[in-house]
């Protein structure tokens, strides 16, 4: 009787183990990449296919590969850019077709596996700083063109910089568990009920564009939560909600206004700066009109968070009165008398969903550190916002942001002075000059 | 011009051009230029704390003189209450006190009236010698320092300095009075960041709105008192 019970338990354990193994296998299965060639290394002379290289260059722009794999001022695609993650610094690798330090010995299949399944040529697992969890949606044709483009790059001998991840994050095998939790190993499947434009938009947003890498909030292990594209804290900033929610998303913008923002870095109210400014400069400004429209159509179709406007804080609130005074004497000259901003140059605050985001950390860090508008072919000005860290103390910054977030059609929670103090330390902003004496 | 003068001016020209080239730097800009704070572009408020140049008894005498020039009354606080002594103390310790922008190398020739005041001493040195001469005078005639005299005596002394009838040894008393008057006004009206004009008392007195740069909300408000709250370069200064 007793032994029968044990046998039953053993059977259950085995069955559970089998299920787990099956899941693990499915999660790590990269058979989809077997369509690619596994014979010719990247550094070997390639049959010229200029059309594929041109298309591949466009795919590289969609994926914004250069954002990470080209260090600012460094050789194109030779890596060495340090990504600041909550777990340590991860350095991008050299993806030029150079045999010793780049991916010159990789075959097309090795490349597909790295991009879509997060596996190195030697089988070791990549960190999801490489957004293979998004790139897995990219189709064979795009990846084939991208490979043609990567092979056409100038080989650069530049050894990779070692990562500075602490234990346990320095164990690559741990990514097996991460993948099991967060990596959805599935290609893009078109939504049959939706038009081709919508599907193209979703393919770009979820695939190469990897918008969710910043705009979808992460949990403690850096995995996507279910609040898809509903706004997320970044290190020292905030990637706002980009769904159709009209209060904090882009639902109040027309398709053209979303597309214009991505094309030139600014529209009637918003100006891209910081991390989004870089994304616009390196990637979205080079997307063609139909693709930008497709992205806008898809984003606007998402219902998003359902965040609604709270009651605006009274203009007679002490923080609002102080904020109004600071706005008039410090901000108004550029941001305008009624928060209108300056078209294509200075952010307008009036009725601007980005200003109303639940998290004010973008606003705080911009006041503390200043910012530079994206410089694009369509808008070369690149207006600058100066730092006010030396000028305004934490209470004044909190007051003026509370004022901006609750004026001219805006309504959002007040900004607290302790939050500004924390941010001042976190973004390494200098103390107020008056307190430096 | 004789040979000797010509040589001296030649040396001076050379010295000037060397100083000029040492101060110049190549202006090169990566566009767009990075944002953020350029430390050398920030205002440089003087340090807080004790006196930087004046001795304690000198500061006491300056306060006594300043407070006869700008006394506490129905229009506002006195000069010393507004921080004018701290203001001039920091200024004397700094570039103004060292006459950093004034040519003082000679040749030393008496100037004309049209050429304005000409001194080989720095303002810091003029305060030291001027206060010393005044203290000596008061000690000799009244047996106590200026600050211990009654207000009427103080006023008559200052008037005598101003109109040139008081002669102090080794200094030009009228010019020293002019310097004191100029500095107390500066302390009362300069940005509070520099130590004086506490609570912007000077600006409120004359209706100066301070470091504002956008008046669009007031363009259509003509013929009325705006009562704008003045703004310092550094809020909370002073």
């Amino acid at each position: 009787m007793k032994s029968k019970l044990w046998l039953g338990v053993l059977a259950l354990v085995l069955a559970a183990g089998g299920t787990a193994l099956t899941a693990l296998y499915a999660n790590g299965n990269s058979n989809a990449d077997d369509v690619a060639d596994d014979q010719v290394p990247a550094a070997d002379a390639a049959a010229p296919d200029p059309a594929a290289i041109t298309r591949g260059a466009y795919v590289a722009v969609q994926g914004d590969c250069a954002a990470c794999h080209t260090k600012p001022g460094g050789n194109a695609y030779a890596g060495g850019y340090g990504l600041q993650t909550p777990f340590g610094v991860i350095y991008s690798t050299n993806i030029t077709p150079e045999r010793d330090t780049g991916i010159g010995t990789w075959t097309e299949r090795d490349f597909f596996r790295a991009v879509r399944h997060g596996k190195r040529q030697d089988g070791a697992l990549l960190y999801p700083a490489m957004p293979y969890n998004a790139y897995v949606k990219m189709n064979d044709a795009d990846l084939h063109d991208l490979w043609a483009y990567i092979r056409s790059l100038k080989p650069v001998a530049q050894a990779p910089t070692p990562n500075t991840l602490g234990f346990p994050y320095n164990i690559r095998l741990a990514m097996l568990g991460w993948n099991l939790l967060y990596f959805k190993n599935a290609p893009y499947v078109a939504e049959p009920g939706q038009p081709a434009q919508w599907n193209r938009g979703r393919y770009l947003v979820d695939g190469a564009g990897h918008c969710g890498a910043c705009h979808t909030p992460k949990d403690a292990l850096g995995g996507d939560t279910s609040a898809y594209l509903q706004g997320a804290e970044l290190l020292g900033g905030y990637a706002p909600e980009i769904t159709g929610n009209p209060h904090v998303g882009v639902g109040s913008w027309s398709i053209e206004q979303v597309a214009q923002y991505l094309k030139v870095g600014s529209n009637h109210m918003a100006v891209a700066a910081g991390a989004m400014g870089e994304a616009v400069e390196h990637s979205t400004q080079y997307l063609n009109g139909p693709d930008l429209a497709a992205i806008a159509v898809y984003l606007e179709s998402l219902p998003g968070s359902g965040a609604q406007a709270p009651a605006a804080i009274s203009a007679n609130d002490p923080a609002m009165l102080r904020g109004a005074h600071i706005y008039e004497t410090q901000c108004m000259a550029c941001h305008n008398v009624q928060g209108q901003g300056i078209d294509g140059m200075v952010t307008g605050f009036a009725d601007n969903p980005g200003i109303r985001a639940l998290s004010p950390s973008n606003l705080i860090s911009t006041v503390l550190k200043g910012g530079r508008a994206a410089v694009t072919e369509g808008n070369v000005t690149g207006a600058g916002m100066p730092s006010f860290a030396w000028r305004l103390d934490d209470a004044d910054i909190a007051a003026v942001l509370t004022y901006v977030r609750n004026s001219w059609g805006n309504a959002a929670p007040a900004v607290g002075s302790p939050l500004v103090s924390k941010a001042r330390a976190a973004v390494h902003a200098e103390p107020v000059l008056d307190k430096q004496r | 011009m004789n040979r000797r003068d010509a040589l001296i001016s030649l040396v001076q020209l050379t010295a000037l051009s060397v100083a000029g080239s040492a101060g110049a730097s190549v202006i090169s800009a990566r566009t767009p230029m990075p944002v953020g704070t350029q430390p050398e572009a920030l205002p440089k408020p003087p340090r807080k704390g004790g006196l930087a140049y004046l001795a304690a008894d000198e500061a006491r005498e300056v306060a006594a003189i300043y407070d006869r020039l700008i006394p506490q009354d129905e229009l506002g606080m006195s000069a010393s209450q507004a921080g004018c002594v701290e203001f001039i103390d920091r200024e004397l310790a700094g570039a103004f006190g060292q006459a950093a922008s004034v040519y003082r190398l000679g040749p030393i020739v008496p100037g004309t009236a049209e050429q304005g005041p000409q001194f080989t001493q720095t303002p810091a040195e003029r305060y030291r010698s001027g206060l010393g001469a005044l203290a000596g005078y008061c000690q000799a005639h009244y047996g106590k320092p200026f600050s211990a005299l009654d207000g009427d005596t103080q006023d008559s002394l200052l008037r005598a300095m101003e109109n040139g009838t008081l002669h102090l040894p080794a200094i030009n008393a009228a010019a020293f009075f002019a310097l004191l008057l100029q500095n107390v006004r500066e302390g009362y009206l300069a940005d509070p960041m520099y130590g004086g004009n506490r609570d912007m008392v000077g600006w409120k007195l004359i209706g100066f709105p301070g470091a504002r740069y956008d008046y669009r909300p007031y363009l259509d408000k003509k013929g009325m008192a705006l009562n704008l709250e003045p703004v310092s370069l550094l809020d909370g200064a002073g």
Side-chain angles (χ1 to χ4, degrees), chain A residues 348-430:
Chain A
F349 298 139
D351 202 20
N352 182 338
I355 301 302
R356 302 188 287 244
L358 198 61
S359 161
S361 55
N362 244 2
L363 307 178
I364 294 173
S365 65
T366 305
V367 173
L368 286 172
K369 298 290 276 186
R372 171 70 65 190
V375 177
T376 59
E377 289 179 7
N379 186 357
V380 297
T381 309
M385 154 103 176
S387 157
F388 283 82
W390 66 273
R391 177 72 180 80
L392 297 175
D393 67 21
D394 298 341
D396 282 350
I397 292 177
V400 76
L401 291 179
T402 298
Y403 173 74
V404 162
R405 280 158 64 82
N406 288 279
S407 301
W408 316 301
N410 292 329
V415 178
S417 173
L419 202 59
V420 182
S421 310
K422 249 167 77 181
R424 194 184 283 270
V427 303
H428 307 295
E430 63 217 324

Side-chain angles (χ1 to χ4, degrees), chain B residues 133-154:
Chain B
L134 184 63
Y137 181 90
C138 292
Q139 201 62 43
H141 288 77
Y142 307 102
K144 43 184 155 181
F146 179 90
S147 56
L149 302 175
D150 64 81
D152 288 343
T153 313
Q154 289 178 331

Side-chain angles (χ1 to χ4, degrees), chain B residues 90-105:
Chain B
R90 304 305 191 264
E91 290 298 319
L92 292 177
F96 169 77
Q98 309 311 310
S101 64
V102 178
Y103 179 79
R104 295 188 301 118
L105 288 180

Side-chain angles (χ1 to χ4, degrees), chain A residues 103-389:
Chain A
I103 59 170
T105 62
W106 289 31
T107 65
E108 182 176 11
R109 195 176 296 177
D110 295 330
F111 180 74
F112 273 43
R113 278 190 184 142
V115 174
R116 294 204 297 207
H117 292 94
K119 289 180 183 173
R120 284 199 317 214
Q121 185 189 35
D122 63 3
L125 299 176
L126 295 177
Y127 291 108
M130 164 76 179
Y132 56 86
N133 53 343
Y135 294 161
V136 68
K137 307 284 184 221
M138 293 170 72
N139 64 35
D140 295 343
D142 277 352
L143 236 60
H144 179 75
D145 292 339
L146 183 59
W147 173 244
Y149 173 66
I150 293 290
R151 285 189 75 186
S152 76
L153 296 173
K154 184 168 90 75
V156 177
Q158 181 178 306
T161 315
N163 298 329
T164 63
L165 296 172
F167 182 82
Y169 306 112
N170 54 358
I171 304 173
R172 283 187 182 270
L173 198 62
M175 294 309 111
L176 209 61
W178 193 93
N179 284 345
L180 207 51
L181 286 170
Y182 301 113
F183 177 52
K184 295 185 184 65
N185 187 0
Y188 183 75
V189 181
E191 200 72 55
Q194 293 285 356
Q197 187 189 36
W198 185 95
N199 272 300
R200 174 68 180 164
R202 185 186 187 191
Y203 172 76
L204 289 168
V205 166
D206 288 353
H210 64 285
C211 306
C214 291
H215 290 278
T216 297
K218 305 289 177 275
D219 62 18
L221 290 173
D224 282 354
T225 62
S226 60
Y228 174 64
L229 300 180
Q230 290 171 19
E233 294 289 341
L234 289 174
L235 292 174
Y238 180 75
E241 175 159 358
I242 52 170
T243 70
N245 177 306
H247 179 55
V248 292
V250 294
S252 63
W253 293 359
S254 69
I255 300 299
E256 291 72 25
Q257 285 164 342
V258 175
Q260 188 202 346
Y261 178 83
L262 296 171
K263 187 73 187 172
V264 303
S266 55
N267 60 15
H268 60 301
M269 62 171 63
V271 177
M276 191 63 204
E278 289 177 25
V280 171
E281 287 178 358
H282 297 143
S283 173
T284 63
Q285 70 158 318
Y286 299 113
L287 298 184
N288 62 39
D291 278 350
L292 290 172
I295 290 171
V297 163
Y298 172 65
L299 292 178
E300 301 246 351
S301 77
L302 299 168
S305 65
Q308 286 183 358
I313 298 171
S314 157
N316 293 320
D317 179 276
M320 289 288 282
L321 291 170
R322 177 72 186 153
H325 175 67
I326 293 167
Y327 183 82
E328 182 182 320
T329 60
Q330 307 296 319
C331 317
M332 186 188 283
C334 293
H335 290 281
N336 228 326
V337 179
Q338 295 293 323
Q340 310 95 311
I342 301 172
D343 233 15
M345 201 169 153
V346 178
T347 302
F349 298 139
D351 202 20
N352 182 338
I355 301 302
R356 302 188 287 244
L358 198 61
S359 161
S361 55
N362 244 2
L363 307 178
I364 294 173
S365 65
T366 305
V367 173
L368 286 172
K369 298 290 276 186
R372 171 70 65 190
V375 177
T376 59
E377 289 179 7
N379 186 357
V380 297
T381 309
M385 154 103 176
S387 157
F388 283 82

